[in-house]
Amino acid sequence: MQHFQRDIKDHWRVRYQNPGFPHVQQGWVLPPGQEEAFDPFVIMADDWFKRGTFSDHPHRGFQTITYVIDGRLEHIDNAGGYSVLDAGDVQYMNAGSGARHAEEAYGDDLIHTLQLWLNLPARLKGTGSFYQNIRVEDAPVAHVDGGTIRVYSGDVAGVKGPIESLVPITMAEVSLMEGAEYTHVLPENHNAFLYVLAGELAAGESGTILSKTDAATLTFNEGREASAPSELKLLANSRARVLIYSGVPLRENVVARGPFVMNSEDEIRQAFFDYQAGKFGPPAVK
C-alpha cells in the first residue's frame, strides 16, 4: 500500500533579535499570529537568556513543551515543584485552568531553550495544571541506518515516547550521519513542522534543502483517520539534527494574549482578572 508522501509546505529561516540583557537573544521558530496554519501549535520561541528573564508568571488555556538545547534550566512552580533540567531534557506543562511558575537560567548559566505552546481544546482548558520532566536518558532511542531517533512523545520508529500530553502529539529528534537516508512516519492527519538544529538535509518529495535554524511546515491530509500513516523522506547532506513535531488540528477559535490562550476575548479578560485577583495563587519562589 502506497502511503501519503509528505512534502515541505512552507519554510523559513529563523531571524533573531536581541531584546536586551538578561534576555540575550530570541527568534520565532513558529511566529505569533499564524495559529490557523500551525494548529494545534500556537508559537515556538528559540531563546538564549540569563537569570531574571522568565521569573514568576502565569499561564492558562494551553500546554508548553520546553526543550533544553544547552545550559541548565531551573523550574519553580507555586505548588512547591522544583527541578533543574539539562541539555536534551524536556519539560511538559499543562497550564489548564491556571499555572504560575518561573523558568530561570540556573546560577550564572546562559541557557538556550526551545519552548513550544501547544493549544488545549475548549473542553480541556479547565483542567488542573501539572508538570512532567523528561530526562534525555528516559526518552527511548530507535536506531536506523546512519542515525538515531530519540522519541519524546507519540509512537515513532517502533518506540513510544514518555510525554503524557492531554492531546495526541509526536515529538522526535532525528540525528543522521552525512549521506544517511531516513523515512519518518507520521499519522497522515497530523499537522507537522520541523526545525533544523544542526547540519543540512533534503526534505520531502521535493528534496527541499534545509539547514541550521531553518523551520518548515509539512503537507498533510486533515480528513484521514489517525491510523493512516504518512512518510517524510530525509536525506542528510551533512551530519544533521532535526526536531519533528506533529499534532491533530483542533479547528477552534484561538485568542492569544500575553500568557493566555483562550477561545474568546471575554475569556482572555477573565484570565487577566483572575490572575490580578490572586486566583492563580502565590508567586513562584524557591
Side-chain angles (χ1 to χ4, degrees), residues 2 23-24 46 65 67 86 89 100 121 123 137:
Q2 181 66 34
H23 197 177
V24 178
D46 188 351
I65 299 173
Y67 174 96
D86 294 289
D89 294 346
R100 187 165 178 174
R123 63 183 176 83
E137 62 270 20

Side-chain angles (χ1 to χ4, degrees), residues 22-246:
H23 197 177
V24 178
Q25 184 167 276
Q26 181 182 64
W28 292 110
V29 178
L30 299 184
Q34 299 186 46
E35 293 87 2
E36 184 176 351
F38 300 147
D39 189 8
F41 308 109
V42 182
I43 57 172
M44 187 158 106
D46 188 351
D47 292 297
W48 286 256
F49 56 97
K50 299 284 283 185
R51 194 170 188 85
T53 303
F54 298 113
S55 55
D56 173 62
H57 60 279
H59 288 300
R60 174 179 283 179
F62 65 103
Q63 306 148 94
T64 61
I65 299 173
T66 305
Y67 174 96
V68 180
I69 296 177
D70 195 19
R72 293 170 294 175
L73 179 68
E74 182 182 68
H75 178 265
I76 308 158
D77 68 65
N78 68 344
Y82 178 82
S83 58
V84 176
L85 285 79
D86 294 289
D89 294 346
V90 168
Q91 184 183 78
Y92 168 84
M93 177 192 75
N94 177 56
S97 61
R100 187 165 178 174
H101 71 166
E103 301 156 292
E104 297 277 24
Y106 184 84
D108 291 330
D109 282 14
L110 174 64
I111 181 77
H112 182 192
T113 65
L114 293 169
Q115 186 170 96
L116 175 66
W117 288 19
L118 171 63
N119 201 4
L120 279 168
R123 63 183 176 83
L124 294 176
K125 287 188 183 293
T127 52
S129 63
F130 66 90
Y131 307 84
Q132 183 188 7
N133 292 325
I134 309 300
R135 303 297 179 182
V136 64
E137 62 270 20
D138 296 329
V141 175
H143 294 269
V144 298
D145 288 343
T148 58
I149 319 301
R150 186 177 300 277
V151 181
Y152 290 96
S153 184
D155 294 294
V156 179
V159 296
K160 181 175 176 58
I163 290 179
E164 299 173 359
S165 171
L166 290 186
V167 296
I169 61 164
T170 74
M171 175 187 174
E173 181 180 354
V174 179
S175 299
L176 299 173
M177 298 301 294
E178 182 176 352
E181 297 183 54
Y182 165 66
T183 299
H184 193 69
V185 178
L186 296 166
E188 190 172 340
N189 68 340
H190 277 212
N191 198 3
F193 73 95
L194 59 82
Y195 182 55
V196 182
L197 294 173
E200 179 185 282
L201 47 82
E205 281 288 274
S206 60
T208 301
I209 302 300
L210 302 170
S211 57
K212 181 177 168 63
T213 71
D214 281 345
T217 53
L218 308 178
T219 57
F220 73 111
N221 283 336
E222 189 166 348
R224 293 301 300 273
E225 302 88 1
S227 59
S230 65
E231 298 179 342
L232 172 67
K233 296 177 181 176
L234 299 173
L235 168 63
N237 294 333
S238 68
R239 189 175 66 167
R241 288 171 59 217
V242 58
L243 285 167
I244 305 175
Y245 301 80
S246 78

